[in-house]
Structure formats: C-alpha cells, structure tokens
Amino acid sequence: MFNNELLSDVHFVVGKGRQTQRFPAHRFVLAVGSAVFDAMFNGGMATTSGEIELPDVEPAAFLALLKFLYSDEVQIGPETVMTTLYTAKKYAVPALETHCVEFLTKHLRADNAFMLLTQARLFDEPQLASLCLDTIDKSTVDAISAEGFTDVDLDTLCVVLERDTLSIREIRLFTGVVRWAEAECQRRQLPGTSANKQKVLDKAVSLIRFPLMTIEEFAAGPAQSGILSDREVVNLFLHFTLNPKPRVEYIDRPRCSLKGKECSINRFQQVESRWGYSGTSDRIRFSVTRIVSIVGFGLYGSIHGPTDYQVNIQIIESETNTTLGQNDTGFCCDGSASTFRVMFKEPIEIVPCVIYTACATLKGPDSHYGTKGLRRVPHESAATGMSTYFVFFSAPGNNNGTSIEDGQIPEIIFYT
C-alpha cells in the first residue's frame, strides 16, 4: 500500500516550486501511526479534502515518514536526516524521531558539531544538543575551524562562548568569533567594517574572556580589531599592567576542559594573625593521587581591614624546576579571615607521582595565616564517590616561613 494509488483516499502535495511531488496515502494507516494525522482526519476539525498541501515539508523527508508509518522501515541518510527529523516532530512520530537522533549521534564529529547543535536547538532535542556541546568541548579548535561554525545563529554562538569547558586558548577563540562576525555581515549584506562586526556580535563580545589572554596576544589582536571601544581597550591594558588590577566587565574565570564541578581543599584547621611579606615567595610542595586540573589558589588577606594585594602565583614541577603556569594578578580582601581567590589564566594539569611547588609572592600588609596544617588532605567526589588525596611537603629554601604546619596558600582550587 505504501506510495500506491490502490484504495488510496487522500493525496499530499509536498514541497514548493519545481520540487513539488504528489503522494497517495491511506487515512487509516496515517491515523494509526500519528496523533497529528489522527486529529487531521478524525478530530473535531477534521479535513474532508482529498488533497492536502504541505509546502514546508521536503518530499524526500515526507516519503521517509510514509515509509516508516507503512512498514516500520527507516530510510534516512546524511542528506535527509535533518528534514526527516523535522517532519517526524511535525507529525508526532517519536519512534522515527528517535531513529533520526541516533543516526545524528552516530555521525557526530568535530567538523559538523556546530551545524548539528544549531539543528538540535531548533528542533528542541536536548540530548543531541548535549552531545554536540561535549564534542565541541573536547575538540574546540577543530570545531571552530570547521566551515559550519560560521553558519550558526547568534544565540547558539553565545551558548558555546558561555561554557567553562572549552579546550582552546582565548585568543584563538576570539579569532574564530571574528570570522563568524565577517560571515554574519555577509549574510546581512553589511560591509565588513569593525563597527558592523561589533554590531552583529552584540552580546557575544562580553563572553570573550579577554583577561585570560597575554598582554601580547591582546595587543596584537583584540586591541587592533576595532570590535572593542577605545575605553574598553584602555581598561583592559590597565588590567594587564597595573597591580592591584582595576575591575573589568569581562570574565576572568579559566576555561577548564575537564568535566565536573569546581572543587577545593583547605590544608589548615585554624586561622591566626599575623603573617608578613618582604618580597619572598610563600611556597609549599604537594603531590596528588589522581589527575586534577588546578585553576587557582585561595589566599589569606589583611588583618587591617579592606586592602588590595598584588600577587604572582605559580605552579612549578619541582624536579625539573619547570614553571607550568603563572599569573600576575591581585585581589581585594575585606579584612576577614576568609580566603580570597586568585586564578591562573588556564587550567594546569597535575598528575600523580610527581611533586609540584605552589608559589605565591604577595605585596601588601600583614595578613592572616593558617595553622594546624594537615599533611594529607582528602577530597571525595560526590559524583563518583572516589577520593583524591593532596599530600603536602615543606618547600626547602626561601619560602617566607610557609610550611606544612603554618603559613599561606591554604586552599587549592581544582577540577577533577
């Protein structure tokens, strides 16, 4: 009976223009397989017309829908899967919809992840959208380099730029966003001027994490792009060069490509005062029992009330004396005994059986400090139930007095 005139009692004129095709069908078969067709033929507003026009449906997709309703056979391919998914959703055939999503998931790659993400959001397929975002997280550079990246809509672009889990340097992400803006200007038939790029990017500009760039990267790229205002450029240059750093309207939280929630451990059981600074680094050595990605430290602040500190933070591989990450930054404390976050520009991967040195060189007044330090500090993951242990060792040499028992660098902030 599939696509057969024999005993057919309805015809569908599908598509528009020269692509229009006419298909015979049987009301009873369609009503059994689709709630939408059932309402169309048997509901209170049922149609009596023998010919129904569907200009918004692709003929190949409608034929695939009919094939499935008549025979349970799935007939989809790379060229028709998206239009078939649209048709399956339009006519409420969830089994065919599931087949389409499974097909897309099986063929999901970095070079088509953005295109599929756009479609998944359009068709309200949260499972597929989540898989697309996971793929973009793991292969961000490849995904943004693909042709399909410049075709996404602004909202989809912003959904990606908001993520903390992208694995890409911020300057490279900015270059990709500029490429998207150029393509969007062409779509809107606008000249590719800096002002127009800024206009089409709209809220996406605020999601670029300019503070994560080096001053050299910022000077060679964003500062000369014309996408930022002169005032924004000056403020960001001041942020890069002054301590304490002036506040900017851009996120400075590192993007961490590892999954999971941000975690932290505190190695001290008590807080005292006072701890002084003379230009010497506070240092503590440590190792871990599982791979983690360190994104920053928590440090103690002033005992004299609200104060700004300048600070350089580093993580060094102790045996080779290799600096794995560092940042010249600052923080403002409120005079309490709380810890205050200072972050690296990028996550630093820490592996088991290697000893690392955490360093913080502060410039500012006397601060609180920690006492009754623990040599071995556990962190248990609520998601997996598995524990990660941080084991601390005193750092020999010039460490400003920080040790296992007392001192600074109370808190390590990381992703598991």
Side-chain angles (χ1 to χ4, degrees):
M1 296 171 68
F2 164 66
N3 201 19
N4 196 320
E5 292 285 355
L6 182 65
L7 300 180
S8 66
D9 52 4
V10 65
H11 287 80
F12 291 90
V13 180
V14 185
K16 51 188 175 182
R18 295 183 178 180
Q19 304 300 319
T20 301
Q21 293 188 37
R22 190 169 183 271
F23 299 109
H26 304 78
R27 294 171 187 258
F28 178 75
V29 175
L30 302 190
V32 167
S34 160
V36 173
F37 282 130
D38 186 31
M40 183 185 292
F41 299 133
N42 303 314
M45 302 285 288
T47 180
T48 57
S49 173
E51 189 165 278
I52 299 169
E53 295 185 358
L54 304 177
D56 62 325
V57 177
E58 290 290 325
F62 191 75
L63 199 61
L65 176 73
L66 292 180
K67 182 82 169 177
F68 185 77
L69 292 177
Y70 277 81
S71 65
D72 258 1
E73 289 184 32
V74 180
Q75 195 169 31
I76 52 178
E79 299 81 15
T80 60
V81 61
M82 295 310 310
T83 53
T84 304
L85 175 59
Y86 166 77
T87 308
K89 292 184 79 73
K90 179 181 174 73
Y91 292 103
V93 185
L96 181 58
E97 182 184 335
T98 299
H99 281 294
C100 291
V101 172
E102 288 174 351
F103 180 92
L104 291 168
T105 302
K106 184 178 178 181
H107 292 81
L108 175 60
R109 304 181 307 274
D111 62 0
N112 63 13
F114 271 102
M115 182 272 289
L116 293 182
L117 175 60
T118 302
Q119 301 294 332
R121 284 166 49 78
L122 177 65
F123 295 139
D124 190 25
E125 290 290 344
Q127 182 183 0
L128 178 59
S130 178
L131 290 170
C132 291
L133 289 169
D134 286 344
T135 300
I136 291 168
D137 283 344
K138 293 172 186 173
S139 306
T140 312
V141 173
D142 291 338
I144 284 180
S145 300
E147 281 187 26
F149 167 67
T150 58
D151 296 329
V152 301
D153 60 279
L154 179 62
D155 286 341
T156 300
L157 176 67
C158 290
V159 164
V160 173
L161 294 180
E162 287 171 348
R163 294 176 70 77
D164 290 335
T165 43
L166 301 179
S167 50
I168 189 172
R169 289 187 62 81
E170 206 67 21
I171 185 62
R172 195 157 185 180
L173 184 62
F174 174 78
T175 302
V177 169
V178 171
R179 191 162 58 89
W180 179 91
E182 291 167 351
E184 182 68 6
C185 284
Q186 290 183 356
R187 282 191 287 271
R188 298 193 193 183
Q189 297 182 330
L190 296 172
T193 63
S194 298
N196 283 335
K197 290 176 191 175
Q198 184 183 49
K199 177 182 176 182
V200 300
L201 281 169
D202 192 28
K203 58 188 176 182
V205 176
S206 65
L207 301 176
I208 300 292
R209 303 184 185 186
F210 296 104
L212 300 185
M213 300 178 186
T214 66
I215 188 171
E216 294 82 7
E217 289 171 339
F218 179 76
Q224 299 183 49
S225 68
I227 288 174
L228 297 173
S229 69
D230 290 345
R231 182 177 179 180
E232 288 170 322
V233 170
V234 169
N235 286 345
L236 281 161
F237 270 124
L238 292 175
H239 176 82
F240 285 121
T241 54
L242 293 183
N243 278 309
K245 296 184 178 300
R247 186 172 177 273
V248 291
E249 299 296 324
Y250 294 97
I251 301 168
D252 62 358
R253 185 173 63 251
R255 298 188 192 269
C256 180
S257 59
L258 299 178
K259 286 297 181 185
K261 293 183 178 179
E262 183 180 286
C263 312
S264 66
I265 54 101
N266 194 316
R267 64 191 189 91
F268 294 121
Q269 301 177 78
Q270 190 171 313
V271 183
E272 299 286 351
S273 59
R274 77 182 49 194
W275 199 258
Y277 304 97
S278 57
T280 303
S281 297
D282 286 273
R283 294 169 176 252
I284 189 72
R285 294 191 300 162
F286 69 96
S287 66
V288 294
T289 57
R290 296 176 64 81
I291 293 176
V292 299
S293 191
I294 291 180
V295 295
F297 301 146
L299 301 178
Y300 291 120
S302 173
I303 59 175
H304 302 295
T307 310
D308 290 331
Y309 280 86
Q310 300 174 42
V311 59
N312 171 272
I313 55 173
Q314 298 182 40
I315 289 184
I316 300 168
E317 189 177 313
S318 301
E319 185 175 341
T320 63
N321 202 35
T322 303
T323 301
L324 303 180
Q326 72 92 32
N327 192 17
D328 288 303
T329 181
F331 66 94
C332 179
C333 69
D334 58 9
S336 72
S338 303
T339 57
F340 300 91
R341 292 159 62 98
V342 289
M343 309 300 280
F344 292 101
K345 291 189 174 184
E346 292 186 332
I348 301 167
E349 186 174 84
I350 302 297
V351 298
C353 304
V354 176
I355 295 178
Y356 302 88
T357 303
C359 307
T361 308
L362 285 86
K363 293 182 181 178
D366 293 349
S367 74
H368 295 89
Y369 72 95
T371 65
K372 297 186 179 180
L374 301 171
R375 180 179 294 273
R376 185 177 170 90
V377 182
H379 179 273
E380 184 170 316
S381 168
T384 65
M386 304 182 77
S387 294
T388 303
Y389 288 89
F390 284 76
V391 183
F392 292 95
F393 314 87
S394 290
N398 229 350
N399 58 19
N400 201 39
T402 286
S403 65
I404 297 171
E405 293 80 18
D406 306 288
Q408 261 285 13
I409 319 180
E411 205 169 59
I412 294 180
I413 305 165
F414 62 98
Y415 280 71
T416 56

